[in-house]
Amino acid sequence: MSVNIYIDSCGSNLIGAVADGTRLLEYRIEKQNQAVTIGSIYRGRVENVLQGMQAAFVNVGLERNGYLSAEDMLMDRSELEGKVEIPSILDLKVGDEIMVQAVKDPAGTKGVRLTTNISFAGRYVVYMPTIDFVGVSRKITDEKTRESLMETAKALKPKKAGIIIRTAALEATKRELHHEIKYLTKKFEGITKLYKTSKAPYCVHEEGHLAFRMIRDVYGAHIDKFIVSDEDTYKKIRDYASKADKELKGKLQLYDKKTDMFRYYGLEADVETLIDNKVNLESGAYLIIDKTEALTVIDVNTGGYTGKDSLEETVFETNLLAAEEISRQLRLRNISGIIIVDFIDMVDPEHRRKLLEVLKEALDKDRERCNVVGMTGLGLVEITRKKRRRESVSMMLKSCPYCQGTGQIQSNDYTVMRIRTELLDLFADGYDNAVIDLNAEIADYILTKNLLKKDLEKIYKNKRVYLIPHKTYHQHVFHIKGDNNKAMVVSDKAILLY
C-alpha cells in the first residue's frame, strides 16, 4: 500500500488527509478564508492581570481576549527538564504591549491560549528566537544519533536563540539544516520589524495554507504521492518544490477527475465514520467513543468476535486490536486532553502489561505528545494527548435544533459537501441537468454563500442545476435527480442555481 497526502478544496472548506491505501490516517478540515490561529503571532495589549491565577488576558484582535499563563511565559518546562523558574505574572501591567503566539485554539467560552515563547516549526527544526536552548526530539531514541544531532545543532544554532531537532532531520543533510535555520532566522527578523511599527492589537504573522503546513508536518520520504485538487494550490506547491524540494515535485499530482476526490480514492467511507461514535474493527469487535466536557471516554467491546481459544485469549486479542485502532482514531479525530479507555477486563497480568506496551508503541507514532498514565484498579487506562487544534468532527457536526442542543446533526458545510459529491457523480455519468430537493435552510445557505458555483462554472459549463427548497425536510436530507432534456420543466418553486 502507498501512503499519500490529499488536499481538496470543497466549497468554503479546505481538507487535508493522509491515507495508507484506502485507510485514512489523518484528516484535517478548516475554513478556506478563516485566519489560522495556531502559530500566529500578535502584538497584544494586556487588558487584565490576575495575580491569584498567575495569568493575564491579552487583547490580540480576536473575538475574545487571549489567555496567558505565567507557565507560558517560558518554554515548555518538560523540554528544559525543570531547569528554569516560572516568572511572576506581576512582571506584566495593564496596558503593556507584548509579542505573543497562539498555541491553542479557542474552545467554548475560552479565548485562544498564548505564549511569549515564540517558535517556528520547519520540516527539520523548531527555531526559538527568544530562548537559548538546544534539544533533540524525544522520538529519536538512539543515543549516538541524539549526540550527533545535538552537536550539529550546537554548531548551527544562532547566538541567544534555540533549536530543537525534529525527527524528520534524520533524512536531512547538514546543509539542509543550515538552510532552514537561516530561513527561519530571517523570517523572525521580518516579523520583528513589523512588530516594531505596528500598534496593538495586530497580527504580525499568520500561519500559512493547509497544504504547506502538511508539507512541513507530514511530508517525508515515506510519502508516495501528494495529490491536490485545486489548480492554484497545485501551482503554488509546484513552484515551491521547484526551488526547495525536487523530490516533492516528482510526487506532486493534480487531481483532474470529475468525481469527488475522496470517493474516487475510496476514502469516503472512512471520512463518514468520523461523525459516528461507533468504530467497527475488522474482527467484529467495536469501539464506542463518547465526548464529554472534561474528557473523552472510549469503550472496547467484543461485539461479534468470539475468538478461537479461551475467553481470556479472545479478550486479549480484542484489546490489542482496539489499542492500534484507538491510536489511529485519536489522530484522525484529533481527540486530545484526557482520554479514558475502558478495555475489556483481563485476568492475566502479563496480558495487561503487554497491552500497555502495544498501546504506548502505537501512540509513539503520533506527532502530538501522548502519555499513557497507566491502568487503574478498575482496568481503565488513562491517556493524555496534547491539545492544540479543535477536533476534526467539530467542523462536521453542529448542535441539533431538533433536541435543544442535547445531540448533534450534520453541519451545513458537511451537507453541502455530500450534495457536491453526488452532483459530481451525476454529471460525470453524462447528465445535462440536475434537480435537488433539499431543506430550505440548506438551499438558502448555498445561495447566500455562493457555494457550488465555482465547480459549476469551472467544470460543468452548459449544465443546469435547480434547487427546490422544502421546509419539512430535515437539514441533512436531500434528493438529486438527473435529466438530459434541454427543455426540462421543473416546479415553479425551483431556483436556478446555475
Side-chain angles (χ1 to χ4, degrees), residues 198-216:
S198 63
K199 185 178 180 180
Y202 189 79
C203 179
V204 295
H205 167 72
E206 184 177 301
E207 278 288 81
H209 193 283
L210 175 62
F212 287 94
R213 281 181 275 131
M214 293 196 77
I215 291 173
R216 180 192 69 191

Side-chain angles (χ1 to χ4, degrees), residues 28 42 47 71 86 88 99 102-103 110 120 162 195 200 207 252 265-266 288-289 293 319 326 357 395 405 407 463-464:
R28 304 182 187 180
Y42 304 89
E47 298 289 347
E71 293 185 2
I86 301 174
S88 170
M99 182 183 289
V103 292
K110 299 177 181 177
F120 300 98
Y195 175 85
E207 278 288 81
L252 186 63
Y265 287 108
I288 296 293
I289 303 175
E293 183 70 22
N319 282 338
I326 286 167
E357 182 182 303
M395 289 285 290
K463 306 287 186 182
R464 287 191 175 186

Side-chain angles (χ1 to χ4, degrees), residues 423 426-427 432-436 464-466 480-483:
L423 205 56
L426 186 135
F427 285 141
D432 293 320
N433 308 311
V435 179
I436 309 173
R464 287 191 175 186
V465 177
Y466 295 91
I480 300 181
K481 294 176 290 187
D483 199 294

Side-chain angles (χ1 to χ4, degrees), residues 173-189:
T173 64
K174 188 173 181 179
R175 183 179 179 181
E176 287 173 324
L177 292 176
H178 176 68
H179 177 76
E180 183 168 88
I181 293 170
K182 188 176 180 180
Y183 166 76
L184 294 174
T185 302
K186 288 185 176 180
K187 184 176 182 179
F188 182 66
E189 289 173 355

Side-chain angles (χ1 to χ4, degrees), residues 188-390:
F188 182 66
E189 289 173 355
I191 291 170
T192 301
K193 289 180 181 178
L194 180 58
Y195 175 85
K196 290 177 179 178
T197 58
S198 63
K199 185 178 180 180
Y202 189 79
C203 179
V204 295
H205 167 72
E206 184 177 301
E207 278 288 81
H209 193 283
L210 175 62
F212 287 94
R213 281 181 275 131
M214 293 196 77
I215 291 173
R216 180 192 69 191
D217 298 334
V218 181
Y219 176 74
H222 66 293
I223 298 297
D224 297 290
K225 296 177 183 177
F226 198 110
I227 305 169
V228 183
S229 69
D230 181 73
E231 190 170 359
D232 290 339
T233 302
Y234 169 80
K235 289 178 179 178
K236 289 176 182 177
I237 299 174
R238 185 188 61 191
D239 292 344
Y240 161 80
S242 297
K243 300 172 185 176
D245 196 328
K246 304 294 185 184
E247 186 179 330
L248 171 59
K249 186 178 180 181
K251 296 179 179 181
L252 186 63
Q253 291 185 11
L254 176 64
Y255 177 76
D256 57 0
K257 304 293 188 297
K258 294 183 177 181
T259 55
D260 177 76
M261 174 191 279
F262 286 92
R263 176 169 289 186
Y264 179 82
Y265 287 108
L267 302 173
E268 184 184 32
D270 263 6
V271 173
E272 290 179 348
T273 63
L274 296 180
I275 63 173
D276 197 347
N277 72 335
K278 183 177 181 180
V279 179
N280 293 311
L281 306 180
E282 291 183 1
S283 64
Y286 64 91
L287 310 176
I288 296 293
I289 303 175
D290 284 322
K291 179 75 176 174
T292 73
E293 183 70 22
L295 49 81
T296 300
V297 180
I298 302 177
D299 187 36
V300 182
N301 299 271
T302 54
Y305 182 53
T306 57
K308 297 180 181 179
D309 300 313
S310 66
L311 174 62
E312 176 72 13
E313 287 298 324
T314 299
V315 168
F316 179 52
E317 290 172 10
T318 301
N319 282 338
L320 291 181
L321 287 172
E324 293 285 350
E325 184 61 27
I326 286 167
S327 69
R328 172 174 172 256
Q329 290 295 324
L330 296 186
R331 296 196 303 274
L332 258 182
R333 300 171 184 239
N334 196 27
I335 297 172
S336 52
I338 300 171
I339 301 118
I340 302 295
V341 183
D342 185 7
F343 285 104
I344 307 169
D345 291 341
M346 296 180 294
V347 177
D348 190 338
E350 179 59 23
H351 284 170
R352 294 161 72 98
R353 185 199 64 78
K354 180 64 176 176
L355 173 62
L356 288 177
E357 182 182 303
V358 169
L359 181 62
K360 289 176 181 177
E361 288 177 357
L363 292 172
D364 281 343
K365 302 172 186 175
D366 200 327
R367 283 192 306 280
E368 298 293 352
R369 186 179 306 150
C370 298
N371 181 35
V372 179
V373 179
M375 186 175 288
T376 70
L378 296 176
L380 304 176
V381 175
E382 301 174 29
I383 303 171
T384 61
R385 185 172 185 266
K386 189 172 182 180
K387 187 172 185 176
R388 293 197 298 171
R389 292 183 172 87
R390 67 187 67 181

Side-chain angles (χ1 to χ4, degrees), residues 36-220:
V36 178
T37 306
I38 299 296
S40 295
I41 300 173
Y42 304 89
R43 179 165 185 147
R45 183 174 59 248
V46 177
E47 298 289 347
N48 197 6
V49 177
L50 304 178
Q51 167 64 11
M53 293 178 62
Q54 279 292 291
F57 289 94
V58 183
N59 182 359
V60 293
L62 300 177
E63 184 178 349
R64 291 185 294 274
N65 290 336
Y67 176 81
L68 174 64
S69 167
E71 293 185 2
D72 291 317
M73 294 173 66
L74 53 89
M75 193 192 158
D76 188 338
R77 283 174 295 161
S78 62
E79 295 284 0
L80 295 178
E81 300 177 354
K83 296 179 181 178
V84 292
E85 295 181 359
I86 301 174
S88 170
I89 202 69
L90 292 180
D91 293 342
L92 296 177
K93 299 186 297 295
V94 173
D96 283 352
E97 296 191 4
I98 56 175
M99 182 183 289
V100 288
Q101 186 172 34
V103 292
K104 188 184 293 185
D105 271 331
T109 59
K110 299 177 181 177
V112 63
R113 184 156 184 169
L114 304 170
T115 180
T116 56
N117 272 316
I118 309 303
S119 66
F120 300 98
R123 281 186 62 191
Y124 308 123
V125 304
V126 176
Y127 171 66
M128 301 168 295
T130 59
I131 189 166
D132 193 346
F133 175 73
V134 174
V136 176
S137 169
R138 290 196 190 100
K139 294 186 178 180
I140 301 175
T141 55
D142 181 76
E143 284 304 319
K144 289 186 177 179
T145 304
R146 289 182 65 85
E147 290 175 8
S148 175
L149 289 172
M150 187 71 80
E151 290 303 315
T152 301
K154 288 178 180 177
L156 297 176
K157 182 185 78 66
K159 291 182 179 180
K160 297 181 180 180
I163 293 293
I164 295 178
I165 301 294
R166 305 184 73 187
T167 51
L170 294 171
E171 304 171 5
T173 64
K174 188 173 181 179
R175 183 179 179 181
E176 287 173 324
L177 292 176
H178 176 68
H179 177 76
E180 183 168 88
I181 293 170
K182 188 176 180 180
Y183 166 76
L184 294 174
T185 302
K186 288 185 176 180
K187 184 176 182 179
F188 182 66
E189 289 173 355
I191 291 170
T192 301
K193 289 180 181 178
L194 180 58
Y195 175 85
K196 290 177 179 178
T197 58
S198 63
K199 185 178 180 180
Y202 189 79
C203 179
V204 295
H205 167 72
E206 184 177 301
E207 278 288 81
H209 193 283
L210 175 62
F212 287 94
R213 281 181 275 131
M214 293 196 77
I215 291 173
R216 180 192 69 191
D217 298 334
V218 181
Y219 176 74

